[in-house]
Amino acid sequence: MEKLVDIFLNFPSSPTLSDSELYKQATSLLNTLNKTPATQLASNVNGTDLLTVLNPAVNSLVYLYVLVARMDLGGRNALDATWNNVVLFLETFDPRQVRHAHDIFRRLFEAFYAHAVDTQKPLLAIRPVKKALVRYNPTRFSFMHTSFIRLCLLTKCYRDGAAVLDIDLVEFPYVKSKPGEPENPVGGRKEVTYQDVLCYFLYGGMIYMGLKEWRRAADFLTYIVACPGNACSAMQVEAYKKYILVGLLLDGKPLPMPKVTSAAAVRAYKALTKPYEAFALAFKSGNTDLFRQEAALLSDVFRQDGNTGLAVQCMDVFRRMQIIALRDTYVTLSVEEISKKDLEVVGRGGDVGGKEETEGVVLGMIERDEIRASLSHSGPDLKTSETTVHFHNNPLSELRNLRALESQISRTISLTKQVKAMDRKLGLSKEYIQYINRLAKTAGGSSLLSMGAGDPDAMDFDYGGGTGWADDEPEETIMQDFDDEI
């Protein structure tokens, strides 16, 4: 065992190994690890715990195998005993090493995730899972994305979920073949499934709903609603129901159906979501009595679908929109007169819809820049004086629009860097070079070089001039930026 420990500690031979050198050393080490019995990997060395000898940030590959060996032998009890070790590994592992043992890493991650959920401590798993996802590769969709977002929903850690959701995905995995099989065979093993992708965008939309970021929520739901196919799944129908309600919260009207949605899916959506369509039409009509009646009829439907919270928020937004509409008719109006218009739809009882509560609603709208107005009191005694709302015609402050524009510009710059990095990765891949060679031969050339010599634009590798790849941050630096932000 002492010889094995020496082998384990000597990998990698240098922290600055190139990818090809690391691959050779990792392949040799994996052969040794796969031949070593789990009982031997899980045992102590001269009375010393092997995990205390290894450094998870340096000896990541060996550390991973030791953890999985103990998990295989001890099951849940082993996870309880090594919980701190697993957390330390997930937060500090070397992604370059771990990618060589993807399936083993997935086993550890899924066991850790299931144990956290089963033992009612998902909150403790948020930080290590988040760190692991960002270290591994946040721009490539993986099995960790959906699991992490689900954890954030379970624990209501919406901010943590949004930090990962805000990282744009630029790559999705393909079907992996077993050794000796042709590439992407029928029935091949999949790293992620179609359902994983749908769940990710549905959960992501729900995260943004929890943060009341309706535009981003609508974007994520659009991916599900417009997902290609000749029919729609139950998950897509549920997403479309939320899509309708989010549209009311965002723009005060139903969002249009995505243009790329298939005709069969559109027919299915319309047939299966008629109550929601009726609710949206009543909302759009502006008729308080009609909307109140429709909301009362559909209360059971919303409760069964788990959309009561969204529906109640739609009712609150309807009331605020009706108050905003008064601006077109009145210059000044007392709060008492507004409360008498009976714009409350939810029917929560108590003082809801009364004078004081209505004043609080109007004040909140002013503070959120939803309406340009001011409040004045007729006397010094706030309880007996009459409160008047003065509507202003001057436009809303441009500060909010300016911030939104700056945020979008920053996001566009970040996405442009990712696209350039992906373009470089694909342009230098073996498959793309083979494809270019085939085109060159078809065109009468003999090789990639001859094609490039005849057509300077055939391979647009702009390495200079101030705008090429050389001026962009390397991929490792970009990944580090994500880690630092999160």
Side-chain angles (χ1 to χ4, degrees):
M1 187 62 185
E2 288 78 6
K3 293 182 179 180
L4 281 177
V5 173
D6 291 337
I7 295 175
F8 295 160
L9 293 176
N10 288 328
F11 173 83
S13 60
S14 170
T16 59
L17 289 176
S18 65
D19 289 342
S20 59
E21 292 172 336
L22 182 64
Y23 173 78
K24 292 178 182 178
Q25 294 188 18
T27 301
S28 175
L29 179 64
L30 286 172
N31 289 333
T32 302
L33 288 170
N34 290 326
K35 294 176 182 178
T36 306
T39 52
Q40 193 170 358
L41 287 173
S43 62
N44 294 335
V45 181
N46 295 329
T48 303
D49 187 352
L50 184 56
L51 292 179
T52 62
V53 178
L54 299 170
N55 184 342
V58 178
N59 314 112
S60 301
L61 205 52
V62 180
Y63 204 93
L64 171 63
Y65 265 77
V66 173
L67 288 174
V68 172
R70 295 191 178 184
M71 181 185 71
D72 289 342
L73 294 175
R76 175 171 293 185
N77 293 332
L79 276 172
D80 284 330
T82 60
W83 176 272
N84 292 335
N85 298 103
V86 177
V87 169
L88 178 63
F89 172 77
L90 292 176
E91 293 183 353
T92 60
F93 70 85
D94 180 1
R96 295 176 67 211
Q97 294 185 37
V98 170
R99 290 191 190 108
H100 292 286
H102 173 84
D103 293 338
I104 302 297
F105 176 66
R106 180 169 186 171
R107 284 181 57 199
L108 177 67
F109 176 87
E110 291 179 345
F112 177 79
Y113 169 81
H115 185 67
V117 175
D118 293 343
T119 55
Q120 304 298 316
K121 51 183 181 182
L123 186 60
L124 298 179
I126 290 291
R127 178 179 174 85
V129 171
K130 182 180 179 182
K131 287 282 188 180
L133 192 157
V134 173
R135 294 183 70 82
Y136 198 71
N137 189 351
T139 62
R140 184 179 190 269
F141 188 81
S142 70
F143 56 88
M144 288 184 284
H145 279 81
T146 303
S147 298
F148 173 69
I149 299 304
R150 183 170 180 267
L151 271 181
C152 293
L153 283 175
L154 289 174
T155 57
K156 294 183 171 56
C157 296
Y158 302 139
R159 295 290 178 188
D160 291 285
V164 171
L165 292 169
D166 286 339
I167 301 174
D168 295 299
L169 295 171
V170 297
E171 186 178 0
F172 283 81
Y174 55 86
V175 178
K176 291 188 175 181
S177 307
K178 294 180 180 179
E181 290 182 345
E183 185 177 358
N184 297 344
V186 177
R189 295 174 296 169
K190 295 182 179 179
E191 181 178 341
V192 295
T193 64
Y194 175 80
Q195 288 78 12
D196 291 332
V197 177
L198 290 183
C199 281
Y200 172 76
F201 286 110
L202 179 59
Y203 294 160
M206 294 169 68
I207 289 287
Y208 284 118
M209 292 176 210
L211 295 172
K212 299 186 186 301
E213 295 185 18
W214 307 119
R215 172 57 63 190
R216 288 289 287 168
D219 290 343
F220 270 64
L221 294 175
T222 300
Y223 294 132
I224 311 173
V225 172
C227 204
N230 295 325
C232 58
S233 64
M235 195 181 306
Q236 289 177 280
V237 174
E238 293 304 314
Y240 185 69
K241 292 176 181 178
K242 289 178 170 58
Y243 183 76
I244 293 174
L245 298 178
V246 168
L248 300 180
L249 294 168
L250 178 63
D251 294 328
K253 59 184 179 180
L255 292 170
M257 186 74 70
K259 294 182 179 180
V260 296
T261 309
S262 66
V266 171
R267 289 194 297 269
Y269 291 142
K270 297 296 184 182
L272 297 172
T273 60
K274 287 183 178 179
Y276 287 80
E277 297 282 357
F279 182 80
L281 288 175
F283 183 104
K284 189 178 179 181
S285 70
N287 188 318
T288 305
D289 294 332
L290 175 62
F291 186 59
R292 184 183 293 114
Q293 179 183 359
E294 200 68 43
L297 289 173
L298 298 177
S299 59
D300 290 338
V301 175
F302 293 139
R303 184 169 57 254
Q304 292 171 6
D305 293 340
N307 291 326
T308 300
L310 282 176
V312 169
Q313 291 185 74
C314 288
M315 298 174 201
D316 288 335
V317 167
F318 177 85
R319 181 187 182 187
R320 299 202 299 270
M321 290 184 65
Q322 294 303 105
I323 293 176
I324 293 174
L326 296 174
R327 179 187 56 188
D328 299 331
T329 307
Y330 303 94
V331 176
T332 61
L333 189 64
S334 68
V335 170
E336 185 176 0
E337 289 295 326
I338 295 177
S339 64
K340 287 180 179 179
K341 292 183 180 296
D342 193 20
L343 302 177
E344 167 65 21
V345 179
V346 181
R348 287 167 287 195
D351 187 50
V352 176
K355 178 182 174 182
E356 292 185 3
E357 194 270 343
T358 301
E359 181 178 344
V361 171
V362 174
L363 182 60
M365 294 173 62
I366 295 172
E367 292 175 345
R368 292 189 297 270
D369 264 352
E370 293 179 2
I371 188 172
R372 295 294 292 172
S374 59
L375 298 177
S376 65
H377 296 274
S378 60
D381 189 351
L382 298 181
K383 293 184 178 180
T384 60
S385 65
E386 181 177 324
T387 305
T388 303
V389 181
H390 302 269
F391 296 104
H392 305 314
N393 292 325
N394 54 312
L396 291 172
S397 172
E398 296 182 359
L399 180 60
R400 182 172 55 181
N401 293 335
L402 181 60
R403 288 175 178 173
L405 180 60
E406 290 175 346
S407 175
Q408 189 61 37
I409 291 175
S410 176
R411 187 177 183 82
T412 302
I413 292 174
S414 175
L415 185 59
T416 301
K417 288 183 178 180
Q418 295 176 39
V419 170
K420 284 186 176 181
M422 180 59 63
D423 183 62
R424 175 176 58 181
K425 179 179 178 181
L426 294 177
L428 297 177
S429 66
K430 178 181 178 181
E431 293 80 3
Y432 181 75
I433 293 176
Q434 290 175 345
Y435 169 73
I436 291 296
N437 276 322
R438 287 197 299 269
L439 287 182
K441 293 178 181 179
T442 303
S446 59
S447 67
L448 176 63
L449 293 177
S450 65
M451 180 180 178
D455 183 5
D457 295 329
M459 294 185 66
D460 187 18
F461 290 164
D462 183 9
Y463 288 100
T467 59
W469 295 328
D471 300 315
D472 294 333
E473 298 180 69
E475 186 175 358
E476 291 78 6
T477 305
I478 296 174
M479 299 288 289
Q480 183 62 42
D481 289 342
F482 285 137
D483 198 12
D484 291 342
E485 291 177 5
I486 295 176

